[in-house]
Amino acid sequence: MARRLRPVEIDFVGAAPVRLVFARNIAAPPDRVFQALAEDVSGWPQWFSAVTLARATDGGAGREIRLRGGTRFAETVLVAKAPEVYAYRVDATNAPGARALVEEWRLTPHGTGTRVRWTFAADGTAPFRFVLVLARAGLKRAFRDAVTSLDRRLSRA
């Protein structure tokens, strides 16, 4: 990994200089969605097309993630509260300009399904923050496609 990031905690989700928040309703119930997010980490590449490798580390307390294009993350799980919230902090990455990054997946019941809300909270250099804001539409599309794919996958299981 190229650089270590600032070790922020879960409250960073509400205080980050850049917060990108996306939400979508799906048919799968919260407990199944939580299981796919938190307990089946190695399954992420099967439903999140940007992810090429995902594996739990440190007995599930961390994660190693690789994305298309070569970006890598070493992460620490901050919250795994079934079936409500799953959040992790990036500890090290090769992404230039990043200083702190937390992703939070919040799951709330919505009828018989789930409202999935993903918050991407970040800090970094001015160019990094600018690129994230420009990338909003792409991240929104990636989230929508991933959650739709996850929902299809869970409905078949």
Side-chain angles (χ1 to χ4, degrees):
M1 292 289 157
R3 70 185 50 80
R4 300 225 29 102
L5 275 58
R6 190 169 75 241
V8 294
E9 295 301 326
I10 192 63
D11 60 337
F12 184 72
V13 169
V18 177
R19 293 179 66 247
L20 305 176
V21 182
F22 310 102
R24 188 162 182 86
N25 297 328
I26 61 173
D31 59 330
R32 302 269 321 277
V33 178
F34 182 85
Q35 192 276 332
L37 291 172
E39 298 167 17
D40 185 19
V41 172
S42 64
W44 279 54
Q46 296 168 14
W47 56 269
F48 205 133
S49 65
V51 178
T52 61
L53 177 128
R55 69 178 189 90
T57 59
D58 300 322
R63 300 166 15 127
E64 175 188 356
I65 303 293
R66 292 184 186 189
L67 303 179
R68 293 196 192 293
T71 303
R72 299 184 320 266
F73 301 107
E75 302 171 341
T76 295
V77 175
L78 297 174
V79 180
K81 182 180 177 188
E84 300 166 17
V85 62
Y86 182 60
Y88 41 88
R89 166 186 72 220
V90 174
D91 295 316
T93 185
N94 63 343
R99 291 187 183 140
L101 190 126
V102 172
E103 294 180 45
E104 178 190 70
W105 296 78
R106 190 159 293 274
L107 312 174
T108 54
H110 181 78
T112 59
T114 306
R115 179 156 186 82
V116 180
R117 188 180 76 198
W118 178 46
T119 302
F120 189 92
D123 188 15
T125 61
F128 175 82
R129 292 190 316 265
F130 181 70
V131 166
L132 277 183
V133 171
L134 290 179
R136 178 188 223 55
L139 288 169
K140 180 179 183 178
R141 186 172 41 258
F143 167 77
R144 182 198 63 218
D145 293 350
V147 172
T148 299
S149 178
L150 177 61
D151 196 30
R152 278 195 303 265
R153 180 177 168 77
L154 294 176
S155 71
R156 287 190 304 254

